[in-house]
Each structure stands twice: as C-alpha cells, then as structure tokens.
Amino acid sequence: MKHNGLKGMEDILPPDIAVWQSVESSAREIFGRYGFQEIRVPILESTDIFIRGIGEATDIVEKEMYTFMDKGNRSVSMRPEGTAPVVRSYVEKNLHTMPSPQKYFYSGPMFRYERPQKGRFRQFYQIGAEAFGIAAASMDAELIIMLKNLLEAIGLSDLNFEINSIGCAACRPAYRSALLDFFGDRRSEYCPDCQRRYETNPLRILDCKVPQCGQLRQGAPTVAGYLCEDCRTHFDEVLAILNSFRIPHTLNPNLVRGLDYYTKTTFEVTSEHLGAQKAVAAGGRYDKLVEDFGGPATPAIGFAMGMERIVTLLKERSEIKQRAPKVFVATLGKEAELEGFRIVETLRAQGVWAEQSYGSASLKSQLRRADRLSSEFALIIGENELRSGKLQWKDLKKSEQGEVAAADVVSFFQSE
Ligand code: HAM
C-alpha cells in the first residue's frame, strides 16, 4: 500500500535542500557577527507555555495548536513558534544571570493547524532570533538591520519593511477603549472572528484580512495618537536610527501582529511576489514576557523568518544546480572492482565526490550510469590498466580523454 504524507506537511528534497542549507549557513554566519548563539529548544512543550506566552484568545492558541495528552496525562503541544519556548528556557535555566544582552537564534520546524495554501503549511520552518536584556531603541534597530543584511546576503533586496509601535501596558488601555468606541457602533457587521476579537483583543480587528472588516475599520483611531511619552520617544529613536542607516521602511499603523506578547515595536517584512501569504519575516518587542514567565523584568525583542517563503522567492530568482559527482569509477573484472573501490574511498577521503559501479555491469552501462548522474569524469579500470598502472579518464562534459598514473589520481581530480 502506498502512503501519503499529511496535508500541509511537506518533504524537502534535493536539489531544493541546497537552497535551505545555504540560507541556514548565511544566517549562522551573519547572526554570529552580531553575537547571536544557537539555542535548541524542544518541539514539544507543556501547553501552558503557549497559552501564557502567545495568549489564550489568539488564533494560534484557540484554533491552530497540535495539542494532545501524553501518556502521563499532561497536556502538551507541538510548538507553533519559537519565542515562548526560548523565554521558558531563558527563565528556567537562569540565563538572565549571564551578562546582558543575551542573544540567541534557532531554526527548526513549527506546527500550526491552519488551512494549507500557497506559502502556508501545517509544518513549516522558521529561523528566529531573540535578544534579551536591552530596552534601548538601538537594539530594535540592530535586529532589523541584521535581518536586512541577512536577506540581502541571500539575494533578497527588494522586500518591504513595515514597522509600527503598539504601545505598552501604560498606553494600550486608552487606545483599546478608543477602538472599542469606534468598532462598537457597527459591531454586528464585522466577521464572526472580529466580533469575538471585540471582546478579547480589539487591536486584532485592525489586521483582519476579511474585505468587509477592512472597509468597516476605515477611519479607526491609529495607535500613534495614543502612545505614552516613553513609547513615543522609543519609537522615534528606532525610526531615526533606521533613517540614518538609510533602511527604507513603511509605517503601518495596522501592524498589530497575531500574538499577544508584543509591546512597543512590531515589524514585518513582506514580498510582492508571494500572493496572499506575503510575510517572509516578522517580529517585535516583548518587554513583559520574561516577567510573565516568572523571571525578572527583562526587555526583549526578536523576529522569525518563514523558510518556505524565502526559499520560494530564491527558487524563482535562480536555477538550482543539481549536485553531481566529480568522478565515476567504472571497472571491469573482480580485481579491478576492488581497486576501483579503493580509489573511490581515497578520493572521498581527500574531499572529492566519487561514485563507484557496485558490481559487474558492461562498461557501456556503467558509463550510461555515470552520465545519468551527471558525473564530470569517468575513470576506467580494466585488466590492462591494472597491469600498466595507467588509468583511463574521460571528461564526460567535454568529450576529452587521457591517462593518469594510479598514484596521481587524487591530485589529478583535485586540480581538475
Ligand atoms: P509569526 O508572524 O507568527 O511570528 O511567524 C513568523 C514568520 O513565520 C511569518 O512571517 C511567516 O514567514 C512564517 N510563517 C508563519 N506561519 C506560517 C505557516 N503556517 N506556513 C509557512 N510559514 C509560516 C512568530 O512566530 C514570532 N515568534 C516571531 C517573533 C520572534 N517575535 C518575536 N520574536
């Protein structure tokens, strides 16, 4: 019986995997320059972590988590994002006792039971970064600049950076009540989700994608008018640094984000080439979350990028090269086969991708296989070659051929 993978959960296969690996290695390299170290947190966490971190009334927690009871009758969930687990670890492992700032990055699969569509999966991969301990605007700007540098380094320089400040515990209540006043009059005309959001988190109505809600909310009060002195100054400073580094960005007062932990700065990076799921990365400040998790008051900020969306953009831009062996060793006869195996292993030990013929087949069929693997060279060893110590090589791309002494094989293929 043939088995199928689950809906919304994709296999990532060669040659695409090369694009994934190159993004991951650029991230490692660039994050390293900014002092971010890798952290690996589990895929399964206690469900409370996400209820507490992301918020009980968010779409993620209400509808999208893979939650189940484990064999010990504990409610566990597969992580829908990385921030809450990293904060859990930061507090549990007393990482706040280390010198500030503590900067971490992670990469790995996240799980959300959403309706799969282009660019939206139930298992998807994020690379994320989180910085703890610094409240200053320069940290917000540094993180955004680091993200931009990474995206540019991998070849994505035409993305839009949107930014907003959603205030803090001091100024949000006034804004919230202004929104309630505004939405209240026509409340029954909003979508059922927004009617619920009206009770739980009216800010979320601002980024509802239902067209009717988009029209109804025109003229809604914007957060800018409600920011307290501290949030206003902080946001102005972030923008001033971005301007001085000539980082193009758009102010988007509706950028409220779908996770409840955010305070002050929020940002999102979008592409016009992705259709409806256009956010390739998103993040913001979460200055209260460490405290909410039982740690000391610790300002923090982070972001996560969606790998599938980034890989889609990169694949549209350049053709992916299929990796191919440097040399295929074709042999005739038992003795030559063993000698071929030995040469293949020697080449591999010296860093050359070599393939062997695995058993007896005609020379013609071995060369056909070399060709199908797109091998650059074939090396032929038969009785004559064994006797003379001179092996025949064929350049399969240029249709050239020649001889090389058995003792010189490694240097020959290393230099070719
Ligand atoms: P998020 O906006 O939920 O934020 O996700 C970040 C990115 O992950 C999105 O911009 C998108 O590229 C990708 N993504 C999200 N859901 C899916 C999906 N179902 N399929 C494919 N890609 C998806 C967070 O997760 C926060 N933890 C970011 C953060 C870190 N904020 C502070 N620190």
Side-chain angles (χ1 to χ4, degrees), residues 134-391:
I134 305 289
S138 42
M139 180 54 89
D140 307 45
E142 179 183 279
L143 206 76
I144 293 170
I145 292 171
M146 178 174 85
L147 174 59
K148 186 167 172 57
N149 284 343
L150 170 59
L151 292 167
E152 277 182 3
I154 59 176
L156 301 176
S157 43
D158 57 344
L159 302 173
N160 311 315
F161 278 68
E162 296 180 17
I163 187 163
N164 191 24
S165 172
I166 58 166
C168 65
C171 49
R172 190 124 16 104
Y175 181 49
R176 192 186 138 100
S177 71
L179 285 177
L180 289 177
D181 284 348
F182 179 86
F183 297 136
D185 299 343
R186 303 181 68 179
R187 193 174 152 187
S188 58
E189 296 170 52
Y190 283 85
C191 74
D193 274 343
C194 281
Q195 293 189 29
R196 213 167 21 81
R197 288 173 186 141
Y198 183 86
E199 305 290 344
T200 55
N201 184 357
L203 264 77
R204 289 296 321 281
I205 299 176
L206 293 172
D207 76 349
C208 175
K209 304 288 180 289
V210 175
Q212 163 88 344
C213 299
Q215 272 170 11
L216 285 166
R217 67 169 177 252
Q218 282 193 9
T222 55
V223 66
Y226 292 82
L227 293 182
C228 63
E229 182 69 26
D230 180 37
C231 288
R232 179 79 261 161
T233 314
H234 185 271
F235 193 42
D236 285 346
E237 282 174 17
V238 175
L239 299 179
I241 304 173
L242 294 181
N243 285 330
S244 79
F245 278 86
R246 300 191 194 287
I247 308 286
H249 55 271
T250 316
L251 297 183
N252 176 357
N254 291 340
L255 187 61
V256 291
R257 311 277 297 122
L259 305 98
D260 280 355
Y261 47 63
Y262 290 111
T263 52
K264 293 188 173 160
T265 315
T266 55
F267 56 94
E268 206 161 271
V269 185
T270 59
S271 164
E272 295 313 318
H273 305 284
L274 283 174
Q277 305 303 319
K278 61 189 182 133
V280 298
R285 242 183 204 286
Y286 48 95
D287 287 346
K288 288 278 165 272
L289 195 56
V290 172
E291 233 175 320
D292 284 351
F293 273 42
T298 308
I301 181 166
F303 67 78
M305 3 192 270
M307 282 293 287
E308 287 77 3
R309 297 179 192 177
I310 285 176
V311 169
T312 300
L313 289 174
L314 292 174
K315 276 169 59 185
E316 274 167 12
R317 278 157 214 224
S318 59
E319 216 183 293
I320 308 168
K321 272 229 209 100
Q322 182 95 37
R323 280 192 70 219
K326 180 85 183 174
V327 52
F328 183 98
V329 178
T331 54
L332 289 168
K334 270 281 163 237
E335 209 183 324
E337 197 184 320
L338 197 62
E339 176 62 3
F341 198 158
R342 201 188 54 75
I343 290 177
V344 163
E345 276 304 303
T346 311
L347 284 164
R348 288 171 177 167
Q350 298 304 318
V352 177
W353 180 3
E355 283 298 334
Q356 59 171 324
S357 56
Y358 305 109
S360 54
S362 69
L363 183 61
K364 198 168 154 208
S365 87
Q366 291 183 57
L367 290 180
R368 208 178 310 125
R369 198 137 69 83
D371 211 39
R372 288 242 291 286
L373 289 170
S374 298
S375 182
E376 200 179 332
F377 288 91
L379 187 70
I380 299 160
I381 315 174
E383 270 177 32
N384 288 344
E385 285 77 12
L386 279 181
R387 221 174 303 120
S388 66
K390 293 237 179 279
L391 313 182

Side-chain angles (χ1 to χ4, degrees), residues 81 83 112 114 119 121 124 126 130 257 261-262 279 302-303 306:
E81 59 106 51
T83 311
R112 295 184 194 174
E114 295 191 80
F121 304 93
F124 59 97
Q126 285 186 343
E130 315 287 350
R257 311 277 297 122
Y261 47 63
Y262 290 111
F303 67 78

